[in-house]
Amino acid sequence: ESKKGDLTIMLIGKNGVGKSSTGNSIFGEKVFNVSAFQQPPSAEPQMASRKAGGFILSVIDTPGLIDGDSVNEENLNNICEFVSDKEVDAIVYVDRLDTYRLQSVDKQIMEALTSRFGPLVWDITTFVLTHGNYNPPAGSNYKDFVTRRAQLLQAAVKEIVPESTAVTPYAVVENGSRCKTNNDSEKVLPDGTALLTNLIRTIVTLVNPGKQLDITRVFFASNVHSKKNRWLIIPFLLAQVFLCKPLVCRQITKDPDYN
């Protein structure tokens, strides 16, 4: 079995849910700018990469997909253009844990992603819920609350892609500095879960050499690519190789030279 020497993750979701902060948590340093103010109507994705032990981890941070009470089509187009020449192995759909219900715009975003990338996009997607230190309402168990919150998102995907038998996995993160740590100095959630290890493990289990972002749809959906560039689809798809998952987890979470 050949080993894949890189992993590319794309963060996606609404405005202000913690995409950039989650990217910074994955790298363990400030790589993406985080602003308390609303982003401009049109923004560009950014990608950062780090290398450890010969393995390259890349994270794509994308602009929020809300414009008022509807999907920001311009930002979605920018995302399609940006990833059209990249191999995206896993998508992290970011939302907040401290939200009690889905809004119509949530389903609109999911429908837009399904339309652009195809229904199999959810086979390489995990939900990540930020604000993991949130205290549930009195009488609510933390793990049960997290499960119910994730089930709302999973049910929405099932409604949009009823033929799918896959259940979108989920993980919880806390990107703030006020977070307990374990004996290994890793941040832990209120239930004791080591959040970064759990996040990376969840992401890596999604990676499948036969299931990457459907760039054929991206090429045809984006109006910035002419037909002369579409031949790139063929060598791009032929370049896929296998991933040694245990190696990935070990390199990302344990390598002392990670930078």
Side-chain angles (χ1 to χ4, degrees):
E1 177 178 300
S2 58
K3 298 177 182 179
K4 182 175 171 64
D6 59 88
L7 176 67
T8 300
I9 302 165
M10 180 166 69
L11 305 167
I12 205 160
K14 297 180 294 187
N15 315 43
V17 293
K19 296 185 297 298
S20 301
S21 295
T22 299
N24 292 338
S25 291
I26 291 173
F27 283 126
E29 61 177 296
K30 185 177 180 180
V31 177
F32 304 111
N33 292 326
V34 179
S35 175
F37 301 98
Q38 191 78 332
Q39 67 181 25
S42 177
E44 299 292 333
Q46 300 177 16
M47 185 169 75
S49 301
R50 294 292 184 270
K51 185 175 182 179
F55 181 82
I56 301 174
L57 172 65
S58 299
V59 176
I60 301 171
D61 185 26
T62 64
L65 289 175
I66 291 182
D67 183 11
D69 58 355
S70 60
V71 176
N72 190 321
E73 293 291 343
E74 186 169 1
N75 281 351
L76 186 55
N77 286 337
N78 289 342
I79 293 170
C80 287
E81 177 184 356
F82 189 83
V83 302
S84 60
D85 61 348
K86 297 173 177 62
E87 186 175 282
V88 178
D89 299 290
I91 295 175
V92 172
Y93 187 104
V94 184
D95 207 336
R96 294 176 60 128
L97 175 62
D98 56 342
T99 303
Y100 292 86
R101 61 176 59 88
L102 290 182
Q103 301 175 328
S104 61
V105 71
D106 293 305
K107 292 185 178 181
Q108 290 178 40
I109 291 174
M110 292 178 179
E111 289 171 348
L113 293 175
T114 304
S115 175
R116 293 299 183 98
F117 300 121
L120 292 181
V121 67
W122 300 107
D123 287 359
I124 62 167
T125 297
T126 181
F127 294 119
V128 167
L129 303 173
T130 60
H131 296 261
N133 272 346
Y134 174 70
N135 291 319
S140 297
N141 175 275
Y142 181 82
K143 285 190 175 182
D144 290 343
F145 182 86
V146 169
T147 299
R148 290 196 300 269
R149 178 70 181 95
Q151 286 175 342
L152 288 175
L153 295 166
Q154 292 170 336
V157 171
K158 187 63 177 176
E159 182 179 333
I160 294 167
V161 191
E163 66 275 16
S164 176
T165 58
V167 178
T168 308
Y170 62 91
V172 180
V173 299
E174 172 53 61
N175 297 315
S177 58
R178 297 179 180 179
C179 194
K180 293 181 179 180
T181 58
N182 59 19
N183 292 334
D184 294 325
S185 299
E186 183 177 0
K187 288 183 177 181
V188 295
L189 298 169
D191 62 358
T193 301
L195 65 90
L196 184 57
T197 297
N198 184 58
L199 172 61
I200 295 299
R201 182 183 296 116
T202 303
I203 292 173
V204 169
T205 57
L206 291 171
V207 179
N208 185 314
K211 292 182 180 179
Q212 280 138 337
L213 194 66
D214 188 353
I215 62 163
T216 59
R217 283 179 175 262
V218 173
F219 269 86
F220 285 98
S222 177
N223 57 11
V224 297
H225 292 283
S226 62
K227 291 183 178 179
K228 65 180 181 180
N229 290 326
R230 290 177 181 164
W231 65 271
L232 293 172
I233 297 172
I234 298 173
F236 188 95
L237 293 176
L238 291 176
Q240 300 179 25
V241 292
F242 288 97
L243 173 69
C244 182
K245 295 179 181 178
L247 174 64
V248 178
C249 288
R250 185 166 64 253
Q251 296 284 14
I252 294 174
T253 62
K254 299 297 182 182
D255 197 312
D257 299 322
Y258 181 62
N259 55 59

